[in-house]
Amino acid sequence: MAEAWRYSAQGVAVAVRVTPRGGRDEIDGLETLSDGRPVLKLRVRAIADGGEANRAVIELLAKSLGVPKRNVRLLSGATSRQKQIAVDGDPTKLGEILRKLTAPKPD
């Protein structure tokens, strides 16, 4: 499966699909949208109201990738379930962590 992130000099830009009120804050792996684009599937406990889900997504990604929250920002999709998130840091290291987080889990 293709990667749901693009590399840049500053870090990575991640395409995500968010499920608000998902019961827990978690990365659920990769998913292919109907148009063939890969996205990182996330669920957050927060509701999609007043930016709460966006803040939860930023916190979840920062924690999962081991970067400060200030290094994670919303590029687009503030009111959509599909978002583009920029993560500043070493792009190679971030890519490795994302690959580990999205690797299929053994049954």
Side-chain angles (χ1 to χ4, degrees):
M1 181 182 270
E3 294 177 336
W5 50 91
R6 297 185 320 272
Y7 297 93
S8 71
Q10 292 80 35
V12 292
V14 187
V16 300
R17 184 173 160 278
V18 180
T19 303
R21 298 180 67 175
R24 60 190 180 281
D25 295 345
E26 190 170 84
I27 294 175
D28 284 340
L30 292 172
E31 177 179 56
T32 303
L33 299 176
S34 56
D35 63 6
R37 287 180 306 146
V39 292
L40 185 64
K41 247 176 32 172
L42 304 177
R43 65 175 67 213
V44 294
R45 282 191 292 263
I47 58 170
D49 183 39
E52 282 186 48
N54 289 337
R55 278 191 293 279
V57 165
I58 286 170
E59 283 180 28
L60 174 61
L61 280 172
K63 196 170 98 182
S64 301
L65 295 170
V67 298
K69 276 192 288 199
R70 68 175 179 276
N71 287 21
V72 183
R73 65 190 185 284
L74 188 64
L75 291 176
S76 65
T79 57
S80 167
R81 292 179 72 163
Q82 292 174 28
K83 305 176 184 305
Q84 287 285 330
I85 312 265
V87 184
D88 295 339
D90 177 348
T92 308
K93 189 173 154 205
L94 291 169
E96 281 173 23
I97 297 169
L98 283 163
R99 273 192 295 282
K100 282 184 190 140
L101 290 170
T102 56
K105 304 205 174 19
D107 293 333

